[in-house]
Amino acid sequence: MDQMILTGSSAFKIKAKSLRLGNFSEEDIRTLCLQHTEETGQKFEPDALEAIWNLTSGQPWLVNALAYETCFKLEEGKNLQNPITSLMVQEAKERLIIRRETHLDQLTDKLKEEQVRRVIEPILLGNVFEGTFRTDDIEYVQDLGLITQATNGEIQIANRIYQEIIPRQLAWESQSGMSLKQAWFLDEHNQLKISALIESFRQFFRENSEIWIDRFHYKEAGPQILLQAFLQRIINGGGQIDREYGLGRTRTDLFILWQVKEGTFQRVVIELKILRKSREQTILDGMAQTWKYADRCGADEAHLIIFDREEGKTWDEKIFQETRIYEGSLEHHVQFPIFIWGM
């Protein structure tokens, strides 16, 4: 607990010269936030404490930075009469990421190291490459605090903020280089025109993918990184993108939460897969995965994007678009349209 509290009027002050410090427990976070309450009278709602834990998994710099941003930088948080809520914590998280704090720049520098890439890229892709990992690579990246490894050997990104930051940081230069305007993809009701957005990306990808991906250090994950950069460019300022990926998943799940107006949200799932089997089998597997994620997120709309990386194929062979109805099993009968895009 010594590293939690430094001098100053706030409990949330910590300077980390490195990425790695021993993690806080969930109880440590409650204790830290209680100190703020005792000093100021401002309370944390239970869902806010849960959000801090879920986003950081106790990484000390992230815990302190997130709590400090929420309580002392957000206008709503600076009013001590307002309790701290999970929505405020989420807004603070977005601000930290966009501002690219020193700690997060350190993370970006580490991602450029080849020893780190050899571990992180398979996780981004969802490929089961554990058997080919080098032990010293795993130990190094784990020591940096970027990954955790369970007793059964399962490897995953250390916390949800890193899980979001890593693809964002890898896509940063390409995102800033895209000439896109949010207004192009909004209808008269301020809803995102997701199909138009994906169609626009597909044309961009067809024209520019070789040039852009050649610039990436993470070339195998290039298509997913490029799409996420494209989406982030449009979503910034009006919504958020949650990302789920990891070894053995065989896909990347993206959940877009877009605020149409006060109290009204548009929920969209976009699932990304690499074509590794036949097209038909990839579609069938992907539809089941997409429906499961859409059901969990309560999505209004779901899209499955399949990247065909096979050399020698023409773009006309790779590109297709269709809509299928996912009907589930006999026990769980559903009818849900899924928009399928090949590129």
Side-chain angles (χ1 to χ4, degrees):
M1 293 283 290
D2 292 342
Q3 63 203 39
M4 276 191 187
I5 303 166
L6 300 184
T7 59
S9 59
S10 168
F12 312 125
K13 289 193 176 182
I14 186 167
K15 293 182 180 180
K17 293 183 180 179
S18 66
L19 290 173
R20 186 63 176 152
L21 288 171
N23 284 353
F24 295 156
S25 67
E26 195 168 0
E27 182 59 34
D28 289 337
I29 292 174
R30 281 195 292 270
T31 300
L32 182 64
C33 293
L34 179 60
Q35 182 180 337
H36 171 77
T37 300
E38 291 172 347
E39 291 176 357
T40 66
Q42 187 176 43
K43 296 181 179 179
F44 283 77
E45 296 286 356
D47 63 354
L49 294 173
E50 184 177 355
I52 294 173
W53 169 252
N54 288 338
L55 288 169
T56 67
S57 296
Q59 205 284 342
W61 187 92
L62 292 177
V63 170
N64 282 273
L66 191 57
Y68 189 85
E69 185 77 20
T70 305
C71 297
F72 295 100
K73 296 296 183 180
L74 293 184
E75 287 302 316
E76 193 176 359
K78 287 192 288 188
N79 183 342
L80 297 178
Q81 301 303 311
N82 293 329
I84 302 300
T85 67
S86 63
L87 288 176
M88 293 161 68
V89 172
Q90 291 288 344
E91 182 180 350
K93 179 261 294 183
E94 283 294 313
R95 288 169 55 138
L96 286 177
I97 292 173
I98 291 171
R99 203 163 62 234
R100 300 183 77 189
E101 296 282 351
T102 302
H103 174 90
L104 304 184
D105 274 343
Q106 288 181 7
L107 183 149
T108 303
D109 289 340
K110 293 297 181 184
L111 289 173
K112 296 175 183 177
E113 297 179 8
E114 182 63 16
Q115 196 170 6
V116 174
R117 186 203 63 79
R118 288 196 295 261
V119 174
I120 297 298
E121 188 165 36
I123 298 176
L124 288 171
L125 287 166
N127 288 344
V128 185
F129 285 169
E130 293 100 323
T132 63
F133 284 141
R134 304 179 186 180
T135 302
D136 58 335
D137 287 351
I138 294 294
E139 291 175 351
Y140 177 67
V141 180
Q142 190 170 7
D143 189 56
L144 288 175
L146 298 181
I147 62 169
T148 59
Q149 186 170 21
T151 52
N152 64 0
E154 183 180 354
I155 298 167
Q156 59 186 6
I157 302 298
N159 56 66
R160 292 194 67 84
I161 290 184
Y162 284 174
Q163 187 168 347
E164 183 168 344
I165 285 173
I166 286 172
R168 279 210 206 186
Q169 298 290 33
L170 292 173
W172 189 269
E173 290 182 5
S174 54
Q175 180 185 332
S176 60
M178 292 175 178
S179 178
L180 297 168
K181 293 184 179 179
Q182 192 179 83
W184 296 348
F185 303 103
L186 296 177
D187 66 15
E188 64 273 20
H189 304 295
N190 198 43
Q191 286 197 319
L192 285 169
K193 296 186 289 186
I194 298 294
S195 290
L197 197 162
I198 295 174
E199 183 63 52
S200 180
F201 170 77
R202 184 164 63 179
Q203 186 59 34
F204 171 85
F205 187 69
R206 180 173 186 166
E207 295 173 0
N208 301 284
S209 60
E210 290 183 8
I211 298 170
W212 279 105
I213 292 173
D214 190 55
R215 301 177 185 178
F216 291 154
H217 186 46
Y218 289 56
K219 288 181 172 51
E220 285 296 316
Q224 293 95 322
I225 292 171
L226 200 57
L227 174 61
Q228 291 183 63
F230 196 94
L231 291 173
Q232 198 70 56
R233 186 77 173 178
I234 302 302
I235 302 303
N236 277 349
Q240 66 186 55
I241 304 175
D242 289 335
R243 299 160 173 84
E244 292 193 13
Y245 54 87
L247 288 170
R249 291 177 59 86
T250 71
R251 80 272 187 193
T252 298
D253 298 325
L254 306 177
F255 173 59
I256 297 173
L257 184 66
W258 175 261
Q259 184 167 326
V260 179
K261 59 183 179 180
E262 186 69 32
T264 302
F265 295 90
Q266 181 181 0
R267 295 172 172 84
V268 180
V269 159
I270 301 179
E271 186 137 319
L272 316 180
K273 285 185 73 68
I274 300 291
L275 192 150
R276 301 195 187 280
K277 305 175 183 177
S278 68
R279 176 187 291 186
E280 182 63 19
Q281 191 59 54
T282 302
I283 289 174
L284 293 176
D285 291 346
M287 285 182 64
Q289 294 164 342
T290 303
W291 157 249
K292 185 176 180 180
Y293 189 55
D295 183 49
R296 177 154 64 87
C297 295
D300 311 301
E301 187 176 336
H303 297 258
L304 169 62
I305 297 178
I306 298 172
F307 291 105
D308 189 340
R309 306 298 305 280
E310 186 176 337
E311 294 183 6
K313 279 190 179 179
T314 66
W315 278 101
D316 287 340
E317 290 176 298
K318 295 178 180 180
I319 287 177
F320 67 93
Q321 202 279 315
E322 59 180 286
T323 303
R324 295 194 188 183
I325 304 299
Y326 179 76
E327 297 188 346
S329 63
L330 292 175
E331 296 80 10
H332 302 94
H333 187 70
V334 295
Q335 285 198 322
F336 189 81
I338 297 176
F339 304 93
I340 304 165
W341 306 79
M343 60 185 76

